[in-house]
Amino acid sequence: MVAKTFGSAVSGVDAKLITIEVNVGQGTSFYMVGLPDSAVKESQQRVESALKYYGYRMPRQKVVINLAPADLRKEGSSYDLPIAMGILQASEQVFFPELEEYLIMGELSLDGKLRTIKGVLPIAIEARKRGFKGFILPKENAQEAAIVNKLDIIGVETLQEAIHFLEGTQEIAPLVTDTRNVFFNSLEDYAFDFADVQGQENIKRAMEIAAAGGHNVIMIGPPGAGKTMLAKRLPSILPPLSLQEALETTKIHSVAGKLGVEASLVAQRPFRSPHHTISDVALVGGGGNPQPGEISLSHNGVLFLDELPEFKRTVLEVLRQPLEERKVTISRAKVSVDFPANFMLVASMNPCPCGYYNHPEKECVCGPGIVQKYLNKVSGPLLDRIDLHVEVTPVNFEEMTSEGKSESSKSIRERVSLARERQHTRFGDSPDVHCNAMMPSHTVKELCKINQAGKVLLKTAMERLGLSARAYDRILKVSRTIADLAGAEEIRVEHLAEAIQYRSLDREGWAG
């Protein structure tokens, strides 16, 4: 007899339907075909042990299991449960009247308990799209799958529960959760707030501008000046995630297995801070079965690179294309996968190896040429994609001990959200442009026009400060954001003047 069950394979951030066909006939062998990897092949031992534990048997006949489509590689241990169900149906030990109406996934332990699996959210989305009645999966993953409505989410703890449910001898109520209510209630649950930061008003202002226009930013300053502390608070002033953005972000974290037990929609913008020893594959994504890297895990959020010059040069160079295209394409011999990567890059660095170049009080002990050599570790093309260069100076004792209240993230976020709304209105006809930082060059010329006084100021600044030509577009984009924050239709001279001061590393001779 041939039995069919349905599972799913995750490719990129989407899922594909897998049909698991089980045939039990004459003979004594066991075959599994359809490009299974080692973890899938080993399911024979797990399934046999789990069946015996509950008093069922593995057929001592010829068992052929086909995972279709046969040309798509199947990986992981999450096919155990559908394979077990198919074997029971095909060997006529149990009859499941609605077996083909459910998509089934789950890893079995030797005693028949179910373990958690990865990529549940895209699988649930695919199950609804394909018109399945429900999705049977490990109970610990049920909360994540319940994000998807119009699909019965049946969370089970053991193989026995799944068997009784499909037989119709045990009722399991589908998990229903008001995901949207939970999502909107947790939108503002931020761990960090700008109200905790004493002083550093100029850096807070730069962060507000970066958030309002989606600009990448680099902070240069001595150790202990507060660079990391400020970066961690940046997500708290970004506009709240929309439901669509939250779904996209959750799918990526689900595929990477980063959601954890009882997880629901990701309600806050991600903040990823990889160590400087990270490899280029871990940053950009990849592997035999391509997995999202840190830049995709920070999609719709912030990627923070602390001590930027300490990262390997090859790692920094792979950032250039995703920063421009807002996605990563990972190509293999048989497959090409796209991962979204629309993130804000925030970097920090010391001005020199000892950390005290340009310090107001401490003296730099680096030798001649050492400072320039250190700064050259960050390539020009990468700096070209960073709009704001901010010099961070240490907070003095009076500011540190001041009892005055700093402005909260909430009030800053309100201004940022208003500026973003102006940009959404402006770029309504451009589906690929959502904020000022995404503007292509031809749009900059059209939307960032400056008057004669502004042109004179910009020309003088470029000549006197030795600003490079690549700084020109960046200054105009940032000044457009500053004008949006001020609610101004036109870019005024004061907006340009503020934007010019955020180009420290473009100044000739900055490092002596």
Side-chain angles (χ1 to χ4, degrees), residues 24-241:
V24 177
Q26 290 184 341
T28 55
S29 47
F30 184 96
Y31 297 102
M32 189 174 293
V33 296
L35 280 183
D37 74 346
S38 297
V40 181
K41 286 177 184 174
E42 288 165 358
S43 68
Q44 179 187 355
Q45 312 304 326
R46 292 190 295 273
V47 169
E48 184 170 357
S49 177
L51 289 174
K52 281 182 178 176
Y53 189 84
Y54 290 112
Y56 301 99
R57 60 181 172 78
M58 191 72 162
R60 292 293 170 241
Q61 296 164 273
K62 182 180 179 183
V63 178
V64 180
I65 298 170
N66 178 39
L67 308 173
D71 61 346
L72 179 67
R73 189 156 181 79
K74 323 302 181 305
E75 299 188 335
S77 54
S78 53
Y79 298 101
D80 293 0
L81 187 57
I83 287 171
M85 293 303 186
I87 288 171
L88 287 171
Q89 179 94 320
S91 61
E92 299 182 352
Q93 296 178 65
V94 183
F95 176 63
F96 301 129
E98 294 186 323
L99 182 61
E100 294 185 23
E101 292 185 31
Y102 288 88
L103 194 144
I104 307 168
M105 295 295 279
E107 177 188 340
L108 286 169
S109 59
L110 297 183
D111 62 356
K113 289 196 173 99
L114 283 168
R115 293 195 170 102
T116 57
I117 58 175
K118 294 197 295 186
V120 164
L121 181 56
I123 293 171
I125 292 168
E126 180 68 10
R128 183 181 66 181
K129 185 173 140 189
R130 295 279 185 163
F132 283 97
K133 180 180 178 181
F135 181 14
I136 299 171
L137 74 167
K139 197 168 188 177
E140 290 181 336
N141 289 117
Q143 193 73 41
E144 181 187 332
I147 292 169
V148 180
N149 56 13
K150 299 178 184 172
L151 183 73
D152 289 353
I153 304 301
I154 310 297
V156 292
E157 293 182 340
T158 63
L159 171 64
Q160 186 79 75
E161 272 187 45
I163 292 169
H164 288 333
F165 173 76
L166 283 170
E167 274 185 314
T169 57
Q170 179 181 345
E171 281 192 21
I172 300 175
L175 179 66
V176 179
T177 179
D178 191 349
T179 308
R180 281 152 184 76
N181 190 36
V182 174
F183 169 68
F184 288 117
N185 284 341
S186 54
L187 268 180
E188 296 189 10
D189 291 346
Y190 295 102
F192 303 101
D193 197 288
F194 270 96
D196 308 328
V197 182
Q198 295 291 352
Q200 302 288 29
E201 296 306 320
N202 58 325
I203 318 300
K204 288 182 195 171
R205 170 66 177 169
M207 286 294 192
E208 184 180 334
I209 294 166
H215 301 289
N216 302 320
V217 58
I218 184 167
M219 294 178 281
I220 313 110
K227 302 186 293 293
T228 305
M229 178 189 67
L230 287 156
K232 281 182 179 176
R233 283 159 175 75
L234 181 57
S236 70
I237 64 169
L238 288 168
L241 283 170

Side-chain angles (χ1 to χ4, degrees), residues 398-412:
E398 286 73 21
E399 286 181 320
M400 205 181 298
T401 55
S402 167
E403 293 184 10
K405 267 288 194 186
S406 296
E407 189 176 16
S408 70
S409 290
K410 187 177 181 181
S411 59
I412 300 172

